[in-house]
Amino acid sequence: MNGRALVARLKEEAATLGLGTLGVAPIAPSDHADALRRWLDRGHAATMEWMERTARDSVDLTRRFAWAKSALVAAVPYLSYAGDRTAQPGVVPHLARYALGPDYHVTLRTRLTALAALLAREAPGATSRVYVDTGPILERELAARAGLGWFGKSTNLILRGGDSYILLGEILTSVELPADEPAPDRCGTCTACIDECPTGAILEPYLVDSSRCISYLTIEHRGRLPRGSERDLGDWIFGCDVCQEVCPWNRKTGPAGDPAFDADRRLEEESLAAIARMDETEFTARFAGTAIARARRQGMVRNALVVAANTGDETALEAAGDRLSDADPVVRSTAAHALGRSGGARDRRRLDRARSRETDPKVAADLELALEERPFDGPREPVL
């Protein structure tokens, strides 16, 4: 089977497997190597040190995969529903939509592995490797090179026909396949994603400072949130979709219709207080098999406490009092800060007692700051 016929066969099978749009990209040095180097040097990767460690390999895949000639890149729509997501009092207000269903890593890897099996049958002796959000791969650049879409000014990939609610996965292969033509940039003069970013994380077109990004803060950042960033979360507890929600190309994006990405609507009905009270066992039982597990128990409890203070959620703030004795020092510090921002007179007494028994110097300092945060009188009020 010649190259073009093989690509046609692979694209046909990809559609059958639920891999959305499939494109082919040549393996070649990145066109954005200098831009990535500047981005890293400016500290825009924040605490994601792995990006520095893998930078040389990611901009030239042949360093690690000398055998690779082509990449098959799949862009899989995941939007499960496009209805109103206005939060109700006492429930989790905002989760990034990709996290509402089962963990996509497993789904995409299974489907791509099946496609790689077809490639192995049609090209005996070929070497292939499947990746989904792993490995030193600049996935969006590879997808753009494969003709699937273009970089939006938010740096999200937007498919040729619109829709940035997509998941990417790829097969690197030693088979040299005819590549697809790149798509033109169709953002034009629109700056909606820049204008509406809640934290100003999109510094300019195609440049995002991760340290300001709500998705980074709620998912990737480990430990205490940087002081002063708590209000930036607003009512987002895991990820952020604002730059996608305001993108004109997504106005007509409808549900993907893929049962594998059906939303577990219970996730949006989970109360902030329930998450704030979860121990490790409860967290694992509730979120195992979902993308939310990536934030870990520490991160999700931390986020719930911050959002409770931001929204004035009384029940969750009651749970914050209990978290002052949590085994995790990050959780204790965050609970102190939440009560310091939104607490009443009873919370001052709780903070005083916690301070008297605290043995961790960092947490003790945070308790002191919480007691100095604001006057502890009157009803709690949301700070949004």
Side-chain angles (χ1 to χ4, degrees):
M1 186 179 294
N2 65 39
R4 293 195 181 281
L6 178 54
V7 168
R9 177 74 181 91
L10 290 166
K11 289 185 176 181
E12 179 184 12
E13 182 68 10
T16 301
L17 290 168
L19 284 170
T21 307
L22 189 75
V24 180
I27 300 296
S30 170
D31 296 328
H32 300 93
D34 291 342
L36 176 61
R37 184 70 265 161
R38 290 193 298 271
W39 186 78
L40 290 168
D41 289 345
R42 293 171 182 170
H44 293 326
T47 62
M48 296 183 287
E49 294 91 352
W50 57 268
M51 298 194 73
E52 179 70 50
R53 292 196 303 270
T54 62
R56 293 181 65 194
D57 289 341
S58 64
V59 299
D60 185 359
L61 291 175
T62 62
R63 283 175 50 85
R64 183 173 294 190
F65 311 104
W67 46 265
K69 301 297 182 185
S70 302
L72 295 162
V73 188
V76 184
Y78 65 82
L79 195 65
S80 56
Y81 69 99
D84 180 25
R85 298 198 308 148
T86 303
Q88 300 299 315
V91 302
V92 173
H94 279 124
L95 292 152
R97 295 184 189 221
Y98 78 85
L100 294 175
D103 190 347
Y104 66 90
H105 294 85
V106 177
T107 300
L108 263 62
R109 177 172 287 279
T110 300
R111 295 176 182 183
L112 285 165
T113 299
L115 187 64
L118 171 62
L119 177 59
R121 292 194 297 271
E122 297 293 345
T127 300
S128 298
R129 197 79 56 82
V130 171
Y131 286 100
V132 180
D133 272 356
T134 53
I137 298 174
L138 301 177
E139 289 190 308
R140 285 167 292 175
E141 181 181 3
L142 210 56
R145 189 180 292 174
L148 299 179
W150 72 93
F151 274 100
K153 291 175 182 175
S154 65
T155 74
N156 288 314
L157 188 84
I158 304 173
L159 293 183
R160 281 180 180 270
D163 189 2
S164 66
Y165 293 104
I166 56 172
L167 304 166
L168 298 175
E170 44 284 326
I171 302 171
L172 305 185
T173 180
S174 60
V175 182
E176 191 160 5
L177 298 169
D180 288 291
E181 290 293 323
D185 186 326
R186 300 183 64 188
C187 281
T189 60
C190 177
T191 58
C193 58
I194 300 172
D195 300 337
E196 299 298 327
C197 178
T199 62
I202 309 174
L203 305 181
E204 60 186 59
Y206 318 108
L207 180 61
V208 173
D209 182 351
S210 298
S211 68
R212 300 188 190 184
C213 178
I214 293 172
S215 287
Y216 163 78
L217 290 169
T218 55
I219 302 171
E220 301 294 341
H221 183 84
R222 306 300 183 196
R224 298 166 178 81
L225 289 175
R227 183 66 68 188
S229 69
E230 293 90 353
R231 287 176 171 80
D232 290 344
L233 267 58
D235 57 1
W236 288 95
I237 192 171
F238 184 93
C240 177
D241 282 336
V242 171
C243 58
Q244 299 194 90
E245 291 172 346
V246 302
C247 177
W249 284 102
N250 283 325
R251 286 176 183 163
K252 295 183 179 180
T253 298
D258 189 332
F261 302 114
D262 282 350
D264 179 355
R265 299 302 291 269
R266 294 174 303 165
L267 288 176
E268 289 195 314
E269 297 168 0
E270 193 80 70
S271 72
L272 289 172
I275 293 177
R277 292 192 176 105
M278 284 182 179
D279 59 23
E280 289 285 358
T281 300
E282 292 166 332
F283 177 81
T284 300
R286 183 66 184 90
F287 296 121
T290 74
I292 291 172
R294 180 172 178 79
R296 306 175 186 174
R297 183 259 179 182
Q298 179 194 90
M300 282 299 284
V301 173
R302 175 199 67 192
N303 297 345
L305 294 169
V306 168
V307 171
N310 287 348
T311 59
D313 187 309
E314 289 283 350
T315 307
L317 286 168
E318 284 298 313
D322 297 333
R323 295 280 69 80
L324 290 173
S325 57
D326 196 270
D328 190 312
V330 170
V331 171
R332 297 201 301 276
S333 282
T334 307
H337 187 61
L339 292 174
R341 289 172 54 201
S342 304
R346 185 171 66 135
D347 298 308
R348 172 180 282 281
R349 292 193 293 273
R350 286 180 169 182
L351 289 167
D352 270 329
R353 288 195 297 270
R355 180 179 55 179
S356 68
R357 65 174 181 262
E358 184 57 61
T359 59
D360 186 306
K362 289 184 178 179
V363 180
D366 287 334
L367 285 160
E368 290 287 352
L369 287 172
L371 285 163
E372 298 169 2
E373 186 76 30
R374 52 170 285 177
F376 284 70
D377 54 13
R380 295 182 176 123
E381 296 180 356
V383 298
L384 290 179

